[in-house]
């Protein structure tokens, strides 16, 4: 039959619909439909209809001899009597009157390759790859579905599918079982959370010719969406059900006939059963597929037999009627008959006995009395009986739907055991299924209850599956049950984990960029948006490609270097053999050469497995997985700060708002963990906690907790009392903290007093006592530091002023400079020497890294600008023609040097946060000036044009357009000039020639009233609206920073202490002597620095092990306390109460079942009692033999109750 008529759904006008239409334009070129082209007369229609169901006039002549074929052909066959054409029904489906999201639909031929359809559904339609496929077979038509079957579908099947992430395959029509499944999916989607909403996918596979109102779906260009109307939704019909996510409408050319989709559905089920679960098919098992039989007709027997021959497991719902009852009776009540070997067959096939065949024939006649060809049914039934190991009988009416997921698991495991090899573990498939479904409760109760001894080989694949597919509960379960992570995590497996990163994520993009750099390809590196767009495009041959398989540890190291910066040494360089190479280019060449070889490092064990897995989980923003690996890894404080650092850097690169927020939340969580664990350490032992902060870590690239916390911007961590106590100890040095301020000031101006008893220093006993004391936050050292810095820069600036003043009094043609000016030059020279020392002669980084770190600091930029301006001014003063310009530059330079003094106040507890407030307010001022500039220019141009009709002088125009309106804000309003009613003493003219010569133009009188109105509006908007807006922005910034002022100050304090700790003790210009001393000690005498150990301490051997063990114990104590708090929370109590209530309900249900059984047993006993009474009476009346004693009498079972009565 040829389908004609106009499509009922057209494409939308939005960009999303246009994009969908463009993406699916390839479908008609690949997917075909079937149209009957040969008329085969139906004998029951008197020649009016074809056997396909279509009328005679709808069939076109395609080949010569159609009419001859009509005469000689007696049976219509789709493959012979229909032809393929491009499909004309595909796209999105919108049900009229339903506010649900659109469903997908596709009309396709019955012989379409299932691989193409499956790829279309998962890659283009966006359906999540299934962890289980349940194909509900039978229950079609308008037969009434039993109540308990509805409950099994609702409470059992859909609930189990929701917990496992399954696809449910039905006919998808509003009739029979398909309608019940649709309603159950709808109810669970309404009650479920948004996270689990997409876990259950209801897929309808129906014959195209059976669908009601199918002409509404026809549109050769595709429908986006197609409007689908259903007249009556309360009655069963062949209309599509709006509760399904997708529809596959199988076309065999017939109209109104059932069974046309059976063959394609079986092929699709078989294809899916050979696909891997998980991301990119990374799971450890194939996707489990099970067919569920509900009632069914006799024709369903062939469908069951064919799928059983492909080892497809079946779950038969006993008691649902029809074919399900027949199979349950056949497999349960039929005793196993002997199977004799046929002598005529050499292939070893078994032939059932004659007695078994007769029994099967009896049951066929019992359940299908209307069937004529019973021999074929008997043969099919015997074939099914031989494959009975793949069939599970489920008595839903008796067992209840609560444990239906366990029933599915047992059915699949039973079928997989028949296919498994002899050497395989009998519980291995059950474990893989539990991991695939993420059912850790089943694994704990059934598999890890102590009865099974698991081997490492059995857990290895499941561990990889759990890692890649983000199932942290299973990872924890495997580790707790004996999986050795040292044997598991090799460098090869670590690389495979990074290769499994999902396409389109930020980590995938960063790894791809590093891979392109290593491979040296000339192709441009794709941007993040291009990667996301390309991942959604579908082509006919390859709809979506997997991740690149060439990712190595070198790319991972490059990504970590991008995120960590210069805080750490490069990761995994030891494994790659690149630890001695400092140049990036040399490292790139060496890595490329290594990776082209045998790569022997991949077989080695990972040196720090838990830290490597922690990094892998953090880079993918997996919260629960990363937290578990942090718990297992050592150096918990530094690991938490490292995770915080990586996540905050990733959030800066992430473009999706939701992912960015989740990264920031997880980063804050790790910072809180670092703070809390360090609190536990500080309470336990103060001196060890100080060592913990400055210990150089071999796991994290030689960094320390303080350095990592600074890089991660961990203000909360730095606000801890223990961190501040260490900083105070380093800042005061050997001096006692209770030294009076006046003594410090006096010694500062007279350094000789240091050798007297005026300044008291700590002894060794005092130092130990102070280490045990609580931190002191009164900030005495801050006053000394403030005075130190103020004296340096103030004295430099005073000399600068004196030099400028003397230069101003000296004639400009003078060639002899004043002595004070040379002193100033030398002074600045010593400052430059100090800046060079700080940049290039501190730390172990390369000179590029040092320059990059130096430039990142704002105050270093200020120093750099001041020095450059001084050099420019100095050079300009050497020449007569630029002497004045040089003096102007030096004046500006004096401002920069003076503003540099603000940094000194950062050490003060009250003034430090104010500097941060000022910095944040500068951003507010920038946005305010944007609004003010637009409004000021609008008013200034209009005001100038209304006051002066002609004024060609640009200097006057700019002053009156910008400068004068700006002064209006501060109240400087020239009323005499603006208001013509006032007398203006300025001489003016209206002569254009004189105006062009520079004369003042006269004001325009006729439009002065508008000038006054604009002035009022301008002042109203600026002085009231915009100024108050700026005040409100300032107030918000101030309140936000002031609320955390203590945290901000403590964070700034660390930076300043580190900066001044590395500086020499003398101030410029006397600092030159310290530079000479350092040159002699470090370069000539090779004396190592002692100050380095104040912030970085390297521990080895037993000391490092003792510190790490102590930190681990403190972390365990902290986690134990957290678990106790969590268990005592209201939410956990409600969860435990809910579990107990569910257990009570389950026991009540079992009690009800026992009650039913007791009643049945009483009925049987009553029947037996009556029968025995009848036998006794019969024997007593007979005279055949005489009994030796009379028959027994019935005793009273409850004598007490009868007596009381």
């Amino acid at each position: 039959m040829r389908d004609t008529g106009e499509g009922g759904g057209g494409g939308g006008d939005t960009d999303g619909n246009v994009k969908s239409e463009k993406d699916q334009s390839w479908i008609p070129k690949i997917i075909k439909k079937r149209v009957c082209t040969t008329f085969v007369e139906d004998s029951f229609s008197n020649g009016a209809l074809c056997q396909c169901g279509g009328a005679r006039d709808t069939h076109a002549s395609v080949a010569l001899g159609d009419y001859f074929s009509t005469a000689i052909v007696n049976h219509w066959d789709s493959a012979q009597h229909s032809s393929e054409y491009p499909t004309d029904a595909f796209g999105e489906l919108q049900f009229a009157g339903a506010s649900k999201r659109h469903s997908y639909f596709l009309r396709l031929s019955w012989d379409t390759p299932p691989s193409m359809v499956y790829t279309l559904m998962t890659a283009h339609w966006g359906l999540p790859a299934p962890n289980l496929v349940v194909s509900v077979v039978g229950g079609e038509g308008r037969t009434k579905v039993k109540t308990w079957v509805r409950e099994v579908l609702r409470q059992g099947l859909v609930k189990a599918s929701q917990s496992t992430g399954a696809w449910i395959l039905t006919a998808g029509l509003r009739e029979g079982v398909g309608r019940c499944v649709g309603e159950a999916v709808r109810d669970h989607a309404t009650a479920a959370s948004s996270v689990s909403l997409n876990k259950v996918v209801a897929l309808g596979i129906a014959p195209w010719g059976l669908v009601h109102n199918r002409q509404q779906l026809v549109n050769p260009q595709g429908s986006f969406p197609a409007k689908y109307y259903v007249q009556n939704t309360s009655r069963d019909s062949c209309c599509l059900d709006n509760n399904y996510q997708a529809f596959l409408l199988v076309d065999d050319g017939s109209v109104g006939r059932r069974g046309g989709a059976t063959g394609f559905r079986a092929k699709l089920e078989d294809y899916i059963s050979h696909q891997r679960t998980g991301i990119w098919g990374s799971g450890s098992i194939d996707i489990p597929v099970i067919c569920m039989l509900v009632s069914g007709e006799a024709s369903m027997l062939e469908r069951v037999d064919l799928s059983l021959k492909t080892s497809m497991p079946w779950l038969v719902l006993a008691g649902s009627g029809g074919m399900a009852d027949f199979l349950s009776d056949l497999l349960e009540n039929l005793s196993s008959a002997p199977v004799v070997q046929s002598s005529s067959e050499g292939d070893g096939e078994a032939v059932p006995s004659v007695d078994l065949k007769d029994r099967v024939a009896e049951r066929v006649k019992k359940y299908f009395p209307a069937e004529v060809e019973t021999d074929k049914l008997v043969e099919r039934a015997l074939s099914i009986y031989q494959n009975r190991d793949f069939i599970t009988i489920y008595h839903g009416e008796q067992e209840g739907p609560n444990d239906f997921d366990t029933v599915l698991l047992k059915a699949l495991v039973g079928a997989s055991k028949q296919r498994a090899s002899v050497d395989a573990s009998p519980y291995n498939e059950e474990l893989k299924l539990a991991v695939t479904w993420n059912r850790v409760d089943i694994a704990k109760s059934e598999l890890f209850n102590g009865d099974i001894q698991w081997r490492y080989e059995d857990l290895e694949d499941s561990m990889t599956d759990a890692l890649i597919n983000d199932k942290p509960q299973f990872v924890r379960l495997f580790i707790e049950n004996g999986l050795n992570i040292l044997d598991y995590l090799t460098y090869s497996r670590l690389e495979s984990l990074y290769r499994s990163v999902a396409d389109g994520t930020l980590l995938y993009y960063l790894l791809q960029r590093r891979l392109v750099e290593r491979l040296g390809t000339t192709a441009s590196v794709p941007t993040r948006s291009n990667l996301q767009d390309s991942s959604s495009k579908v082509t006919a041959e390859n709809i979506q490609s997997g991740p690149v398989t060439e990712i190595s540890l070198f790319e991972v190291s490059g990504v970590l270097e991008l995120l960590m910066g210069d805080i750490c040494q490069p990761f995994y360089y030891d494994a790659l053999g690149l630890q001695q190479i400092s140049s990036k280019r040399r490292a790139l060449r060496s890595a490329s050469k290594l990776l082209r070889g045998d790569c022997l490092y991949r077989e080695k064990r990972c040196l720090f497995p838990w830290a490597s897995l922690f990094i892998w989980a953090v880079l993918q923003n997996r919260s629960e997985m990363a937290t578990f690996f942090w718990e297992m890894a050592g150096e918990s404080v530094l690991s938490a700060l490292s995770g915080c650092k990586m996540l905050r850097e990733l959030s800066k690169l992430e473009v999706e708002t939701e992912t960015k927020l989740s990264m920031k939340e997880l980063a804050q969580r790790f910072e809180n963990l670092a703070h809390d664990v360090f609190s536990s350490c500080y309470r336990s032992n103060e001196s060890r906690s100080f060592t913990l902060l400055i210990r150089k870590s071999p796991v994290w690239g030689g960094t320390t907790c303080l350095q990592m916390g600074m890089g991660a911007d961990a203000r909360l961590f730095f606000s801890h009392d223990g961190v501040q106590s260490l900083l105070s100890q380093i800042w005061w040095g050997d001096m006692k903290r209770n030294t009076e301020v006046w003594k410090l000031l006096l010694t500062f101006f007279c350094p000789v007093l240091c050798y007297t008893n005026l300044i008291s220093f700590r002894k060794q006993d005092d130092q130990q006592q102070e280490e045990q004391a609580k931190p002191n936050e009164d900030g005495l050292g801050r006053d000394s530091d403030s005075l130190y810095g103020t004296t340096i820069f103030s004295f430099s600036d005073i000399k600068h002023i004196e030099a400028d003043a003397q230069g101003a009094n000296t004639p400009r043609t003078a060639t002899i400079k004043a002595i004070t000016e040379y002193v100033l030059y030398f002074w600045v020279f010593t400052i430059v020497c100090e800046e060079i020392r700080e940049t290039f002669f501190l730390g172990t980084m390369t000179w590029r890294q040092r320059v990059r770190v130096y430039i990142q600091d704002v105050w270093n930029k200020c120093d750099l600008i001041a020095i450059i301006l001084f050099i420019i001014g100095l050079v300009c003063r050497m020449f007569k023609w630029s002497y004045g310009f040089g003096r102007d530059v030096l004046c500006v330079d004096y401002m920069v040097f003076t503003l540099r003094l603000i940094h000194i106040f950062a050490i003060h507890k009250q003034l430090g946060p104010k500097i941060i407030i000022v910095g944040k307010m500068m951003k507010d001022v920038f946005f305010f000036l944007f609004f003010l500039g637009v409004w000021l220019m609008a008013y200034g141009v209009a005001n100038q044009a209304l006051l002066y009709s002609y004024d060609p002088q640009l200097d006057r125009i700019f002053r009156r357009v910008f400068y004068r309106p700006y002064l209006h804000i501060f109240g400087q309003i020239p009323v005499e000039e603006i208001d013509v009613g006032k007398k203006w003493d300025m001489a003016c003219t209206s002569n254009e020639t004189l105006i062009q010569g520079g004369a003042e133009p006269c004001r325009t009188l006729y439009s002065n009233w508008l000038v006054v109105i604009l002035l009022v509006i301008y002042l109203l908007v600026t002085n009231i609206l915009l100024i108050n807006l700026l005040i409100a922005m300032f107030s918000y910034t101030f309140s936000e920073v002031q609320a955390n002022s203590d945290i901000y100050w403590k964070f700034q304090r660390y930076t300043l202490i580190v900066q001044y700790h590395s500086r020499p003790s003398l101030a410029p210009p006397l600092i030159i002597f310290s530079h000479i001393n350092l040159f002699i000690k470090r370069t000539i005498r090779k004396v190592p620095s002692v100050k380095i150990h104040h912030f970085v301490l390297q521990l080895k051997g037993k000391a490092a092990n003792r510190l790490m063990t102590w930190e681990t114990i403190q972390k365990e104590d902290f986690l134990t306390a957290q678990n106790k708090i969590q268990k005592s929370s209201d939410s956990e109590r409600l969860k435990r109460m809910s579990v107990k209530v569910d257990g009570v309900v389950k026991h009540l249900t079992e009690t009800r079942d026992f009650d039913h059984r007791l009643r049945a047993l009483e009925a049987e006993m009553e029947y037996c009692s009556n029968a025995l009474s009848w036998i006794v009476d019969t024997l007593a009346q007979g005279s055949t033999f005489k009994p030796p004693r009379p028959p027994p009498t019935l005793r009273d079972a409850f004598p007490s109750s009868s007596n009381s009565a």
Side-chain angles (χ1 to χ4, degrees), residues 244-257:
Y244 284 73
Q245 281 86 341
F247 297 94
L248 297 178
L249 308 177
V250 183
D251 190 5
D252 62 349
S254 64
V255 178
R257 296 201 319 173

Side-chain angles (χ1 to χ4, degrees), residues 983-1149:
K983 184 179 179 181
W984 192 30
D985 297 334
M986 179 68 68
C988 62
T989 180
S990 299
N991 191 343
E992 295 184 0
T993 304
L994 296 177
I995 293 174
Q996 291 179 356
E1000 180 71 24
C1002 291
R1003 297 171 295 176
T1004 303
L1005 302 179
Y1006 67 88
S1007 59
N1008 187 255
W1009 62 273
L1010 188 56
V1011 173
V1012 177
I1013 294 176
L1014 289 180
L1015 176 62
V1016 173
I1017 297 175
Y1018 172 73
L1019 293 177
L1020 180 68
V1021 173
T1022 52
N1023 289 18
I1024 296 179
L1025 181 62
L1026 293 181
I1027 297 299
N1028 281 281
L1029 173 63
L1030 181 63
I1031 293 173
M1033 295 168 65
F1034 284 171
S1035 300
Y1036 174 76
T1037 302
F1038 181 82
S1039 60
E1040 183 183 14
V1041 178
Q1042 189 66 23
N1044 301 315
S1045 60
D1046 188 62
I1047 296 177
Y1048 279 106
W1049 166 71
K1050 290 178 178 178
F1051 188 72
Q1052 290 287 339
R1053 184 169 180 252
Y1054 168 77
T1055 307
L1056 202 64
I1057 288 177
V1058 170
Q1059 181 179 355
Y1060 279 97
H1061 182 268
S1062 62
R1063 287 184 176 181
S1065 57
L1066 296 177
L1070 301 179
I1071 198 175
I1072 192 68
F1073 297 109
S1074 298
H1075 290 165
I1076 296 173
N1077 181 35
L1078 288 174
F1079 177 77
I1080 294 173
K1081 290 175 65 177
R1082 303 288 181 265
T1083 307
I1084 299 177
R1085 298 179 59 191
K1086 305 294 184 181
V1087 178
S1089 175
V1090 182
K1091 285 187 175 182
I1092 297 177
H1093 300 293
H1094 293 167
F1095 284 97
V1096 178
L1097 179 63
Q1098 179 136 19
L1099 295 179
K1100 294 182 179 179
K1102 294 183 179 179
N1105 292 333
R1106 282 197 297 266
L1107 184 64
M1108 186 177 297
T1109 304
W1110 173 77
E1111 183 184 7
T1112 304
I1113 293 173
Q1114 302 306 316
K1115 178 189 66 176
E1116 294 296 333
D1117 293 342
F1118 164 74
L1119 293 176
T1120 303
Q1122 290 295 111
N1123 289 332
K1124 289 182 179 178
I1125 295 174
Q1126 185 177 1
K1127 287 181 179 179
S1128 61
S1129 62
D1130 295 338
S1131 60
E1132 290 296 325
R1133 289 180 179 178
L1134 288 175
K1135 288 181 180 178
R1136 291 195 296 269
M1137 183 64 69
S1138 176
V1139 173
K1140 292 180 180 179
V1141 170
D1142 291 340
V1144 171
V1145 172
K1146 185 176 181 180
H1147 285 302
L1148 289 176
T1149 305

